[in-house]
Amino acid sequence: MMFSGKQTKPTFKSYLPPLQTESKKSPQLPIKKLEAKLLPGEIVVNEANFVRKCIGAESCQDDLWGKLVCTNFKVSFITHKSLPQQRFQCTHRLLGEHDIPLACVEQVVTVNDVKGKQKILGSNQKLKFNPTELILYCKDFRIIRFRFDEAGPESAKKVCLAIAHYSHPADPQLLFGFEYVGKRYHGSTGERVNGVDPGGGLQTPLFDCSSDWDREIKRTGASEWRVCTVNQGYFISPSLPEFFVVPVSLADQDLKQYACFFYSQRIPLWCWNHSSGSALVRMSNISDPQQQRKVEQRISSTITKSHPLRSDVFKSDLDKNLPNIQDIQAALLKLRQTCVIDPFEESEEKWLSSLESSRWMEYVRTFLRHAVEIVYMLESRRVSVILLEKEDRDLSCVISSLVQLMCDPHCRSLHGFQGLIQKEWVMAGHRFLDRCNHLKKNDKEESPVFLLFLDCVWQLWNQYPAAFEFTEVYLTVLGDSMWVPVFSTFLFNCPRQRAEHSRDFASSKSIHLGQDQALRFPPVWDWSQQFSLKDQTLFNNPLYVGKIATCVQNGTVKTFTHRRSKKNYSSTMRGLPSVLRNGSLGPNDTLARRNSLVLRLRSDLTQVREQQETPSERFVREFFSRPVDLQGLLLPQLLPSHISVWKLYFLRWVPEAQIPQGGPITTFHKLSVLTDEIEMLQNQLRQYKGAGSTPNNLHTEHSKMYFKATSTPQQSPAPPEYLSSSFPFSPVGNLCRPGILGTPLSKFLNGAKIWLSTETLANETV
Amino acid sequence: MASAPIAPYNSSPLGNSSSPNASRESLKMEPLADFAMLPGEERVTDKEIIYICPFNAAVKGKVFITNYRLYFKNTDSETPVTLDVPLGVISRVEKMGGASSRGENSYGLEITCKDMRNLRFALKQEGHSRRDIFEILFKYAFPLSHGMQLFAFLSQEKYEENGWNVYEPMDEYRRQGLPNSEWRITFINKTYELCDTYPTVLAVPYKATEEDLKRVATFRSRCRIPVLSWFHKENHAVITRCSQPLVGMSGKRNKDDERYLDLIREANGTTKLTIYDARPNVNAVANKATGGGYEGDDAYQNAELVFLDIHNIHVMRESLKKLKDIVYPNVEESHWLSSLESTHWLEHIKLVLSGAIQVADKVSSGSSVVVHCSDGWDRTAQLTSLAMLMLDSYYRTLRGFQVLLEKEWIGFGHKFASRIGHGDKNHADQDRSPIFLQFIDCVWQMTKQFPTAFEFNERLLVVILDHLYSCRFGTFLYNCESVRDSNSVRGKTVSLWSFVNSDTSLYINPFYTPESSRVLYPVASMRHLELWVTYYIRWNPRIQHQQQSPVEQRYKELLALRDQYLKKLEELKLSDSAPSSTHLTNSSTPNAATPNQHITHLQTPF
């Protein structure tokens, strides 16, 4: 009725031909076409018609009518009318414009505003009232609201219960990725039907084979380190990968012997080698205190042996210096409260102090600062570093990756960065399944450690935008991909779990894996799973100063290829003095050789703050006194005034915070267009130098830029109207906060830890 | 991606301070000093001294004092430590420590600056070395308190362009489409008889007679009658500005004033004239006690009054003082955000911006507005100029921005002399207030939100602020046109715009994309307002000092690369003599900034 009502019957016969555009559209309006687009393996669980999706803040005139569908993968809202004011959105290949993957649903709240009741739904629950409204709180900070005023009360209730149930899968194998990937094998015998062959054609090393590690050893010049295979079949440690790297002097036999002393048998893992030969190693605590000293000494001595200068090993206890996973989770919840739940205007006055009290930014700083300390040890003190964490699966992931990002320009390229995450997160066994809380079983294990890492990366990116091959859109989309449960990257706690689950699933579904050992989930790095090639160009940073740098001198451009000689890619240029003699750190090697006169002059001046500068502070200060080499060491500015809110990630859904036709994206647009033009010119020049064939616009196909140069490149184009500070995301219909304000629910929401805990069932009449 | 650390222009605030020919001349005069003196700059004294750098420790060196600046250079280490401080920046000089002081560096001078820093020097107790240097500094930093001239009157700098010609009131009115059938130009104030703090040329409602103007003047504080600031070419709505009405405790009314405001309303058929009173409601009420007040409902029936809640000059001064406390010398580390919040600086910025947004929005919807505060020279100037910046893209160009400042701030009598205290020793003067700085901060916030909408860059804003204090140029001297006239500022001093326009490439934003009809509405939310760290925290050596934002610099490099390729391609085509059909052949000058010799090296050393 809602839809037929829109078609007015003509009251007179018109002899004019109808406008062409209209005549094509109108026959398609009826409801019959409202069907969910399903992926292979996806099934519809429940649906309700005549559902209204709330769009506007105050009025409902922009609201959309359509069908709400719950599948085993997503909550889908299907409508004919497209959103007002939203002419652009990045189209997602797995998700429609209004779809939310179930894994992204944090909380399902049903409301009956007539009876003044609300209930948070978990799995297998009952609902004793007919909902008039469904609010979905999403892990990516969206708040989506549906109204059932015109829908059948029973079907509304059923779809809500279905969403609640299916967003709480009881078993990992119920995560959609299994069905989705399983379907690949259903076609013909063992042939893959779905998507792209993972790994094939992918330039990102997954570090699931010894050759990737070999290459990494060679790349970093870690000649005294070797790939070890003792954990093949996961016989030694359940959470370590099958292949990892250890000191050459540590024999497999020793490793097997030591394994039992370590927490979860996690023997030390090599992460990376600095060009000075210092190694970055991570390891878990030694569980047996009696053996601790002995084992530690033995490990340290093998690491020392692998250092060209035989230098000492510095141990950094991360648990002592950094917030724990619960702290991080609490911080994100508070941040979310501040960013999207608190009423916008009222929270303006206290915005800064609310940000501070969330402690999120403080933690970002703490992690960055700690990483800088480690960089100082590796770079300036030239000692190897062991990152020590009880389980070695959370904080060390962040620190080891940040250290490499700061020191190693390779990690700032797209594939280098993705390889880094494979190496330090996926293979090292970061518990993505638990930290994402995909099964919503154990809230205590949930923690946005990876998001915190992405924020740290964003801070570096924000301070050195030309040093990274990727954009902040890339970082944001990468964070969002955690909630699309089909990627090997974010589905499991460790490689072994992935292997086991996929074997089990295959056998229970009688899938013939062919020559595969396990189901081949696509890694998130296979971006064409989610985005078209065109949309993927949003990841390419036009500012990136890659290996080829151009130099402009007196109006002439010279192009240099970065050919850094092995072993000096970050430090030698700065000519830091070696502070090591025969492997021991001299006591007066603090780098601070102050003029004696000056020392004498530092006296009892009360107001001058005594600057007891530590060597690492001096290291940082000296770094900032020199021009930055974007292909060398990068240290972040750590003053709190220089740590910013990652607005694209945290504020993209907030309509009040959107700057229409403004924000950093407008400079990105101009850079993109110019870079595209340069690419085009390069192609033309190349063609001249080549056979002299007619220069043609070949470039459009492989242009790396999202925004293209126009045919008249001399005129600088105005930014497209759809650009906004939220681009390529849109707040329209994605943050229906104002609607719940002023209702009892909002007060209810302002209580406890933001997201209601499932136990608090306010007003529920049982 | 633009919000990268854009660091300032080294310890010398003025960057490339002197013109090349000037430096050669002065170097001959003073071979000892290794800084280039300006023409007209003269050495006064120099002295061995210890600079107590708040960041590093004490630095031994030599200080040079001229009639324009204080220059310090260290002698104790190979890493150079220099200070180059125009004396105009100094707000206070104090002696610290006495004869009984113990400890080597407790005896010396403490200098408080207007640009967010303090300087401390230590001297030997022997002789009268401190007394001498104190007296010299005190005299030359505050020349007006000692019957001497500001340096702007001594400077002999010459520039190709005469910056005093940047703003010609009649040209600007004509650009706006005035005079017309609704608004006329009046010269009633040509000898400053109507209002001594207004400019000579004013635009008023066509129907208002000269007699009307005189009568209205009696009812407006300091005779600052409502006059036109900006005219909307399409809908003919206007921004007018004035001071508060002299309502007083008794609630006086003035028929002429009421009728005059109605003439403004009538000019384009606005149904209800909106009067924006920049003050908080209570302040407006309190002003009645001193004879001021606001337009009452019953007296001005066709008008609606909106209070914009912007606080007065004293509140802003205190706010900036608190801000300085948390950024200088060290950035407050432990509770940065809440400390920043407690300064309220960004909150004030937000109120000013959102006030201006309301004004701009009203005008672009077709309604005329009147803006005033108490005297109409502080908050009013902020609001009208920001609203004009939002409405009129001309003011977002390098030239247009100069015109905007000349017109709304300098012309309409923002009391620069009182607010800044040029050459005046009375550092505690309650008239001082960072109103203009706050305005520039608002402009900076807008440039951050719309990085392609402004032709000028951050550097221009910093240079403007540096010369707000430096007293090197006449532009910001004195309180109003009439005083400027009587001191022959235009004849005897150089305009800041002469300096700026002699090398505009430094101030051009390469991302600028002209869009003539777009109204810019920044988001005046704490979510987007940021502390302008590259200005307020620029003295901190822990912050990277870069000449330019890295994004800007990279873009210029890319532009140069593009031009290089275009040139090569053209050469190839010529030598080919077989012309192909590409549109790229006409490689004339590209947009905005053609990067040239300014880019000498890039970020990536090889």
Side-chain angles (χ1 to χ4, degrees), chain B residues 241-356:
Chain B
R241 60 180 291 171
C242 57
S243 60
Q244 63 183 343
L246 299 174
V247 175
M249 293 298 271
S250 56
K252 264 183 287 182
R253 286 179 58 166
N254 181 305
K255 285 280 168 222
D256 296 301
D257 191 73
E258 291 162 23
R259 201 177 73 85
Y260 183 78
L261 286 200
D262 217 41
L263 287 178
I264 295 174
R265 181 190 65 79
E266 263 176 31
N268 79 330
T270 299
T271 45
K272 233 176 176 46
L273 181 72
T274 309
I275 303 168
Y276 287 102
D277 189 327
R279 301 166 293 185
N281 196 340
V282 281
N283 295 28
V285 174
N287 260 288
K288 285 189 174 178
T290 50
Y294 53 90
E295 292 83 355
D297 286 347
D298 33 333
Y300 299 84
Q301 301 223 335
N302 290 326
E304 58 169 345
L305 183 67
V306 178
F307 293 104
L308 293 176
D309 283 328
I310 303 168
H311 286 277
N312 63 24
I313 59 165
H314 309 295
V315 174
M316 302 309 176
R317 182 179 56 238
E318 293 313 307
S319 175
L320 186 70
K321 202 175 275 174
K322 283 186 197 156
L323 180 63
K324 185 172 176 179
D325 286 344
I326 65 162
V327 299
Y328 190 88
N330 290 296
V331 175
E332 166 73 45
E333 291 254 356
S334 53
H335 293 285
W336 165 251
L337 292 170
S338 53
S339 306
L340 180 60
E341 185 175 280
S342 64
T343 69
H344 299 289
W345 183 254
L346 291 177
E347 209 184 313
H348 295 314
I349 297 274
K350 176 187 159 154
L351 282 169
V352 174
L353 270 176
S354 66

Side-chain angles (χ1 to χ4, degrees), chain A residues 94 294 348 371 397 513 729 758:
Chain A
L94 304 177
K294 195 187 102 191
E348 273 286 280
C397 302
L513 291 172
F729 309 96
T758 354

Side-chain angles (χ1 to χ4, degrees), chain B residues 293-501:
Chain B
Y294 53 90
E295 292 83 355
D297 286 347
D298 33 333
Y300 299 84
Q301 301 223 335
N302 290 326
E304 58 169 345
L305 183 67
V306 178
F307 293 104
L308 293 176
D309 283 328
I310 303 168
H311 286 277
N312 63 24
I313 59 165
H314 309 295
V315 174
M316 302 309 176
R317 182 179 56 238
E318 293 313 307
S319 175
L320 186 70
K321 202 175 275 174
K322 283 186 197 156
L323 180 63
K324 185 172 176 179
D325 286 344
I326 65 162
V327 299
Y328 190 88
N330 290 296
V331 175
E332 166 73 45
E333 291 254 356
S334 53
H335 293 285
W336 165 251
L337 292 170
S338 53
S339 306
L340 180 60
E341 185 175 280
S342 64
T343 69
H344 299 289
W345 183 254
L346 291 177
E347 209 184 313
H348 295 314
I349 297 274
K350 176 187 159 154
L351 282 169
V352 174
L353 270 176
S354 66
I357 291 168
Q358 290 176 58
V359 172
D361 186 48
K362 193 55 104 182
V363 171
S364 69
S365 73
S367 299
S368 291
V369 303
V370 175
V371 182
H372 71 72
C373 44
S374 296
D375 290 313
W377 50 43
D378 293 310
R379 287 166 277 198
T380 301
Q382 290 178 330
L383 289 169
T384 56
S385 54
L386 286 170
M388 288 156 76
L389 206 55
M390 291 169 196
L391 288 162
D392 191 338
S393 61
Y394 169 70
Y395 299 123
R396 296 174 219 143
T397 63
L398 185 60
R399 285 267 160 167
F401 190 64
Q402 297 170 12
V403 168
L404 184 71
L405 297 186
E406 286 284 350
K407 177 173 148 53
E408 288 303 302
W409 288 86
I410 299 161
F412 276 101
H414 172 69
K415 302 206 294 176
F416 281 105
S418 305
R419 297 290 174 259
I420 308 301
H422 293 129
D424 175 53
K425 66 177 180 181
N426 189 4
H427 62 86
D429 192 335
Q430 292 295 303
D431 257 353
R432 294 195 185 176
S433 185
I435 300 300
F436 185 73
L437 165 65
Q438 192 176 46
F439 158 74
I440 294 287
D441 194 331
C442 290
V443 176
W444 179 82
Q445 303 285 352
M446 285 181 70
T447 63
K448 287 297 277 186
Q449 294 193 19
F450 300 101
T452 63
F454 292 82
E455 193 191 15
F456 51 87
N457 60 13
E458 181 182 40
R459 188 180 183 137
L460 177 77
L461 300 179
V462 174
V463 164
I464 287 172
L465 288 177
D466 282 339
H467 292 297
L468 172 67
Y469 308 119
S470 77
C471 298
R472 176 172 157 193
F473 302 105
T475 303
F476 297 117
L477 301 182
Y478 303 108
N479 281 339
C480 55
E481 289 291 359
S482 58
V483 184
R484 232 166 265 133
D485 276 3
S486 57
N487 284 284
S488 319
V489 170
R490 278 171 166 259
K492 291 182 179 168
T493 72
V494 177
S495 160
L496 170 59
W497 315 129
S498 306
F499 169 74
V500 166
N501 295 338

Side-chain angles (χ1 to χ4, degrees), chain A residues 46-48 68-70 148 155-164:
Chain A
N46 217 311
E47 56 186 45
L68 185 63
V69 180
C70 174
F148 301 116
S155 66
K157 191 193 256 185
K158 275 183 189 155
V159 82
C160 291
L161 289 169
I163 291 168

